[in-house]
């Protein structure tokens, strides 16, 4: 996987999640499961604010085009509690009063957390991962479903979600071209003025390292089976995945 950043504590991750990465300046290229890659998926949230007094109050959308599903149904579909869903919804509604977010709005919101670089390409990849029905929009249901997988899913759930993010054309395998696009988008997002300075050939080197580790049968593509097997044997990846168990 690209890079080997230091493992962060649960406390630090929780604090950064709740503050929504206001000044995220990564020091190294994130790995698949490193906090900046995964927690960045949650940066549509605004400050938690206060909990609603009732489900009806919280889900009141008098000027909103899209009405989310009932709280009980979302509880059944995700691994969040009632109060957690209320907090998440309030943040989502603050950023997306219409009840849905399109790709351009998603990119605008996401760019706030990476002002030193161009996050537009990576944000597009991330948007497509959340937009599971490919209708060009992300609803609150889409958002909490993805977030539930990232933060509360099993290790396999999280790895499958990450694989889907990297599999840009959704054909069931990751090619070097897809991984290079991902890596370039991450470098663009980090900006040119990083320390230490990033070498121009670094993205391609990360891709080669990725395939050397993941492409078990050397056929030039990484399948989900190869991806899961390789990740599960990597202690750093497994340790990083466990950091998200208590983020919210």
């Amino acid at each position: 996987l690209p890079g080997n950043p230091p493992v962060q504590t649960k406390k630090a991750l929780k604090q950064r999640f709740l503050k929504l990465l206001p000044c995220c300046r990564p020091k190294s290229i994130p790995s698949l499961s490193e906090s900046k890659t995964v927690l960045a998926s949650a940066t549509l949230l605004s400050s938690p604010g206060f909990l609603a007094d009732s489900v009806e109050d919280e889900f009141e959308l008098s000027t909103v085009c899209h009405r989310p599903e009932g709280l009980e149904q979302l509880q059944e579909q995700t691994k969040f509690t009632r109060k957690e869903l209320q907090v998440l919804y309030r943040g989502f509604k603050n950023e997306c009063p219409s009840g849905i977010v399109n790709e351009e709005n998603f990119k605008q919101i996401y760019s706030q957390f990476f002002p030193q670089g161009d996050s537009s390409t990576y944000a597009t990849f991330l948007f497509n991962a959340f937009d599971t029905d490919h209708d060009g929009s992300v609803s609150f249901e889409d958002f909490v479903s993805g977030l539930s997988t990232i933060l509360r899913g099993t290790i396999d759930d999280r790895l499958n979600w990450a694989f889907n993010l990297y599999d840009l054309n959704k054909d069931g395998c990751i090619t070097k071209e897809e991984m290079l696009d991902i890596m370039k988008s991450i470098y663009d997002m980090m900006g040119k003025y990083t320390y230490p300075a990033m070498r121009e050939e670094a993205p391609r080197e990360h891709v080669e390292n990725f395939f050397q580790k993941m492409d078990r049968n050397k056929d030039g593509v990484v399948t989900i089976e190869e991806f899961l097997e390789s990740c599960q044997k990597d202690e750093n990846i497994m340790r990083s995945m466990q950091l998200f168990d208590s983020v919210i």
Side-chain angles (χ1 to χ4, degrees):
L1 292 178
N4 281 304
V7 175
Q8 301 181 24
T9 64
K10 285 185 177 181
K11 182 178 180 181
L13 282 171
K14 185 173 183 177
Q15 290 174 343
R16 294 183 65 190
F17 180 82
L18 294 177
K19 292 180 180 178
L20 301 175
L21 311 178
C23 295
C24 183
R25 297 183 182 276
K27 297 181 179 179
S28 61
I29 291 298
S31 68
L32 160 71
S33 56
E34 200 269 344
S35 62
K36 296 179 187 67
T37 300
V38 178
L39 282 183
S41 304
T43 54
L44 280 175
L45 300 178
S46 64
S47 298
F50 58 92
L51 296 179
D53 294 330
S54 69
V55 177
E56 290 75 22
D57 290 341
E58 184 53 27
F59 279 63
E60 179 64 32
L61 297 173
S62 58
T63 61
V64 176
C65 300
H66 175 80
R67 181 179 296 274
E69 297 174 1
L71 185 62
E72 291 77 12
Q73 186 173 351
L74 288 176
Q75 279 184 268
E76 294 176 359
Q77 294 173 350
T78 69
K79 297 184 180 181
F80 291 126
T81 66
R82 170 190 173 117
K83 288 185 177 181
E84 287 170 341
L85 286 167
Q86 289 174 332
V87 171
L88 292 172
Y89 181 70
R90 182 171 294 279
F92 188 89
K93 189 173 73 169
N94 286 343
E95 291 290 349
C96 312
S98 67
I100 59 174
V101 57
N102 61 30
E103 183 178 332
E104 286 306 310
N105 291 337
F106 188 95
K107 289 193 289 187
Q108 290 174 6
I109 295 169
Y110 199 78
S111 67
Q112 299 174 25
F113 305 102
F114 296 91
Q116 75 278 14
D118 180 2
S119 64
S120 59
T121 302
Y122 184 79
T124 293
F125 298 153
L126 196 59
F127 178 85
N128 291 335
F130 275 103
D131 181 18
T132 54
D133 56 4
H134 310 297
D135 65 353
S137 64
V138 172
S139 65
F140 180 64
E141 295 92 328
D142 295 330
F143 181 64
V144 294
S145 176
L147 203 61
S148 175
T149 299
I150 296 168
L151 299 180
R152 299 288 169 80
T154 65
I155 295 297
D156 277 1
D157 289 338
R158 300 176 197 187
L159 290 176
N160 272 282
W161 196 93
F163 182 89
N164 179 64
L165 172 65
Y166 284 8
D167 179 14
L168 300 181
N169 66 358
K170 314 307 178 191
D171 66 348
C173 63
I174 302 171
T175 65
K176 286 188 176 182
E177 290 75 15
E178 288 174 319
M179 183 54 62
L180 185 59
D181 286 343
I182 288 283
M183 289 309 308
K184 286 180 177 178
S185 73
I186 293 174
Y187 274 87
D188 289 343
M189 181 169 61
M190 292 174 63
K192 296 180 179 179
Y193 305 105
T194 58
Y195 183 84
M198 298 298 178
R199 293 174 296 106
E200 185 176 349
E201 64 273 18
R204 193 171 296 277
E205 291 178 359
H206 279 292
V207 171
E208 292 300 327
N209 291 335
F210 175 91
F211 271 78
Q212 184 177 2
K213 177 182 293 187
M214 299 284 176
D215 186 10
R216 299 280 178 162
N217 63 358
K218 307 303 178 186
D219 64 351
V221 298
V222 174
T223 64
I224 183 61
E225 292 79 15
E226 291 174 320
F227 187 77
L228 291 176
E229 181 181 357
S230 299
C231 289
Q232 289 166 350
K233 291 181 178 179
D234 191 303
E235 293 182 2
N236 290 331
I237 296 173
M238 291 298 97
R239 187 163 57 248
S240 297
M241 284 290 177
Q242 294 170 359
L243 292 174
F244 301 103
D245 291 343
S246 302
V247 167
I248 295 183

